[in-house]
Amino acid sequence: MFITVALIPLLIHYAYRFEFVDFPNERKVHTSAIPRVGGIAIVIGALIPIFIWLNHVTNVFYLTSAMAVILCFGAWDDRRNIDYRLKLLGQIVAALIVVLLCDVRIYWLPLLTDFKLPEMVSIPVTVFCLVGVTNAVNFSDGLDGLAGGTTLLSFGLVAVISYMVGDFTLLVVSLAVMGSLLGFLRYNTHPASIFMGDSGSQFLGFTIATLTILLTQQSDVGLSPVLPLLLLGLPIFDTLMVIAIRLYRGRSPFSPDRNHLHHQLLDAGFHHYDVVMMLYMLQGFLTVACFFLRYQSDILLILTYMAFCGALLLYLYRLRTCNNKHEFTTAAAGEKKSLLTLNWRFLADSDCNSYGISHILEKLIAVALPLTFILSAMFSVEASVDIVILSGVLIFISLACAVRITRSRLFWIERAHIYILCSLAIYLYHYIPNEKMSVHDFLSVAYITLFLAVILVFRFSTKKGFEITTLDYLVIFMAFSLPYISSIGGALPGASSISIMIILFYVVE
């Protein structure tokens, strides 16, 4: 993540000089030229930690070589818009490298548990799947943060399952790509200042396809071979739907148009922000379904995916046939309206409602945050004395600052000590003795309540300050998922601590 965040400003600076720029046209959503060098930063940010941690693993050299091939052809396309047959050639070369040299093979097919594919059949089947998923993710990269956010969730599930089955190599590769994606999304969340381009989207598609094949065909053959279909179900659905529409209309399946899932939702009147959020939620549903159904029968996973696709097709059909655009736009000036957000007047602050719910919640947060710190310090009798004393000093400073501050923002030193205090509060929270479990439970409820209050304030406050983005929702989703996954699938060290700390950091903001 650090490498990617550090590289992107430098790459943006040179993007125009070397012509790595995405210009707007009738099919694209953006209205100004945007550098598309994010993929280069993503790949470099992922490869460096992979080399550091896995330099002793023989197959990793061939895997990273295949990634480099994908990067070269993708960067070439980002600069010159090469013919699709050249891109396909690069994808096939990369696929052959991992298939022939890394033994990435599909041997076990769904519903055929006792039949193993012969090697001469397995090779073309695997190459076809790798190239197909690579292009599916590439096609889905049409909105700010869309491809990066959805694949982030997929890599997260691969990392969790890899940890559970003890595959350190897949775990490190997954986490490295997740880190580079988080760094990239810092600049790609709407409104984006950089695009990943084909180099990034093809890299993500190729890597997630390779990892899911290795996970289900080698690391744990008990996992359903249908799992990759469900995990990558959104870009696969989008690609098959678009190809079907193009063939039905007598056009080439590679011809560009605006029939992608995100285009149809935009044309129906949804905000860019809401389309991304809707697709994040759909991918989140598929990710959760994959986790709980990972060892279930193939037929159950196939039926789940068919039901998902059927429901989505039905919804898109309704959008296309109702033709009631006024349902999605306001009567005045045709201004777009969100269907995912609420507009309840009594919740929001306004000129005639200066004490709306968000105003009250802000006061609640301002009082509750230091109180949770004080409770943690008072009852953490098993913690070391120096930590307790330090926490007490910082709490005193916080209260002193709260009394004297009249401005809306804190100085950096005040913010720094509050963030340190959050970390100490988590430490103290875990050292509350067993006989004080009522206090422990109370603090757990308090943290969740604080976080829900913050979400409401973000939504309904009219103050121009910290605004929650689609990237924040991804972080929130992962933070809440970690402890639950840990309790089901095996201990993830510090999962609950990470989740509560993220909650407190949002509260501070």
Side-chain angles (χ1 to χ4, degrees):
M1 182 171 65
F2 175 80
I3 292 168
T4 306
V5 168
L7 278 176
I8 285 178
L10 182 66
L11 291 171
I12 289 176
H13 178 73
Y14 288 101
Y16 294 94
R17 180 184 300 181
F18 293 100
E19 301 178 10
F20 283 91
V21 182
D22 193 346
F23 293 99
N25 58 36
E26 66 279 359
R27 291 187 304 106
K28 298 179 179 178
V29 177
H30 61 285
T31 56
S32 60
I34 303 289
R36 50 181 176 188
V37 289
I40 299 173
I42 291 172
V43 178
I44 295 175
L47 289 183
I48 290 177
I50 290 173
F51 274 123
I52 291 174
W53 286 93
L54 300 176
N55 59 79
H56 60 286
V57 181
T58 305
N59 286 345
V60 168
F61 172 76
Y62 301 119
L63 175 61
T64 53
S65 298
M67 293 175 177
V69 171
I70 290 289
L71 172 63
C72 291
F73 276 84
W76 186 12
D77 183 56
D78 290 335
R79 191 169 187 266
R80 293 300 182 202
N81 290 319
I82 61 176
D83 187 84
Y84 73 88
R85 286 167 289 195
L86 277 175
K87 289 196 291 184
L88 195 61
L89 174 64
Q91 294 166 5
I92 293 173
V93 170
L96 286 173
I97 291 175
V98 295
V99 169
L100 299 177
L101 301 178
C102 294
D103 196 30
V104 177
R105 306 281 176 84
I106 297 176
Y107 289 114
W108 309 103
L109 295 177
L111 306 176
L112 302 174
T113 54
D114 297 326
F115 177 73
K116 184 178 181 180
L117 283 179
E119 189 162 323
M120 295 309 296
V121 178
S122 172
I123 291 174
V125 168
T126 308
V127 171
F128 175 79
C129 291
L130 287 172
V131 172
V133 173
T134 300
N135 284 289
V137 175
N138 183 29
F139 291 159
S140 69
D141 181 29
L143 297 179
D144 297 344
L146 180 55
T150 52
T151 53
L152 178 69
L153 295 174
S154 300
F155 280 107
L157 182 67
V158 172
V160 168
I161 298 179
S162 300
Y163 177 83
M164 292 176 179
V165 302
D167 193 322
F168 182 74
T169 301
L170 294 188
L171 174 62
V172 169
V173 174
S174 301
L175 291 177
V177 178
M178 288 179 71
S180 63
L181 276 173
L182 283 170
F184 167 73
L185 288 170
R186 163 68 179 80
Y187 297 92
N188 186 241
T189 301
H190 185 69
S193 57
I194 190 173
F195 292 157
M196 68 170 64
D198 273 27
S199 57
S201 58
Q202 290 186 52
F203 166 77
L204 294 176
F206 177 79
T207 305
I208 190 63
T210 302
L211 295 185
T212 52
I213 291 173
L214 287 171
L215 184 63
T216 56
Q217 301 287 326
Q218 291 186 19
S219 296
D220 186 357
V221 293
L223 293 167
S224 172
V226 186
L227 206 65
L229 173 66
L230 200 59
L231 184 61
L232 304 169
L234 202 56
I236 291 174
F237 167 85
D238 183 51
T239 301
L240 293 177
M241 178 185 67
V242 170
I243 290 176
I245 293 174
R246 290 170 183 172
L247 292 176
Y248 177 76
R249 295 176 178 175
R251 301 174 55 196
S252 167
F254 298 99
S255 59
D257 55 28
R258 285 183 60 89
N259 287 313
H260 287 283
L261 179 58
H262 53 270
H263 286 141
Q264 294 189 44
L265 293 173
L266 284 174
D267 293 340
F270 290 102
H271 277 291
H272 185 295
Y273 181 98
D274 291 315
V275 172
V276 175
M277 275 302 305
M278 291 170 71
L279 297 179
Y280 279 180
M281 287 190 289
L282 290 175
Q283 181 61 41
F285 167 78
L286 290 175
T287 305
V288 172
C290 281
F291 178 76
F292 286 104
L293 301 177
R294 63 192 185 279
Y295 290 117
Q296 300 300 317
S297 65
D298 296 344
I299 189 67
L300 179 59
L301 271 78
I302 292 173
L303 290 174
T304 301
Y305 184 60
M306 290 177 62
F308 171 84
C309 294
L312 198 50
L313 282 172
L314 185 63
Y315 179 68
L316 292 175
Y317 175 77
R318 177 188 174 277
L319 288 181
R320 279 182 171 272
T321 55
C322 70
N323 290 324
N324 291 326
K325 294 289 181 119
H326 64 273
E327 293 182 12
F328 305 101
T329 56
T330 57
E335 185 178 326
K336 290 184 178 180
K337 180 177 66 175
S338 165
L339 296 187
L340 296 179
T341 54
L342 303 173
N343 194 24
W344 298 334
R345 290 177 179 269
F346 72 92
L347 287 174
D349 297 336
S350 63
D351 293 337
C352 57
N353 184 25
S354 58
Y355 287 94
I357 295 296
S358 65
H359 180 86
I360 297 172
L361 289 175
E362 285 181 26
K363 300 299 182 184
L364 170 66
I365 292 168
V367 174
L369 184 61
L371 285 178
T372 56
F373 292 165
I374 292 170
L375 282 174
S376 296
M378 284 176 59
F379 292 98
S380 299
V381 295
E382 295 181 4
S384 57
V385 177
D386 55 339
I387 296 294
V388 176
I389 293 173
L390 177 59
S391 301
V393 171
L394 291 176
I395 290 171
F396 177 78
I397 295 173
S398 297
L399 294 175
C401 289
V403 170
R404 72 170 189 82
I405 287 176
T406 56
R407 60 187 182 280
S408 60
R409 292 190 178 274
L410 299 174
F411 287 129
W412 68 268
I413 192 168
E414 295 164 336
R415 292 170 59 87
H417 101 261
I418 293 177
Y419 273 113
I420 295 170
L421 186 55
C422 287
S423 303
L424 293 175
I426 304 304
Y427 174 83
L428 298 172
Y429 168 79
H430 286 287
Y431 278 93
I432 296 175
N434 291 332
E435 58 268 20
K436 301 291 185 181
M437 284 306 295
S438 58
V439 178
H440 193 281
D441 295 339
F442 172 80
L443 285 173
S444 299
V445 174
Y447 287 137
I448 300 299
T449 304
L450 274 174
F451 186 68
L452 294 175
V454 166
I455 295 296
L456 288 174
V457 171
F458 285 163
R459 167 62 187 93
F460 294 109
S461 179
T462 55
K463 295 180 179 179
K464 298 297 182 182
F466 183 85
E467 294 182 1
I468 198 163
T469 67
T470 51
L471 177 56
D472 292 308
Y473 284 113
L474 283 176
V475 174
I476 291 164
F477 176 79
M478 291 189 291
F480 272 91
S481 301
L482 269 177
Y484 191 68
I485 290 174
S486 176
S487 64
I488 293 176
L492 292 170
S496 59
S497 298
I498 293 171
S499 299
I500 297 174
M501 194 174 299
I502 290 174
I503 291 172
L504 286 183
F505 285 175
Y506 277 106
V507 169
V508 171
E509 289 296 331

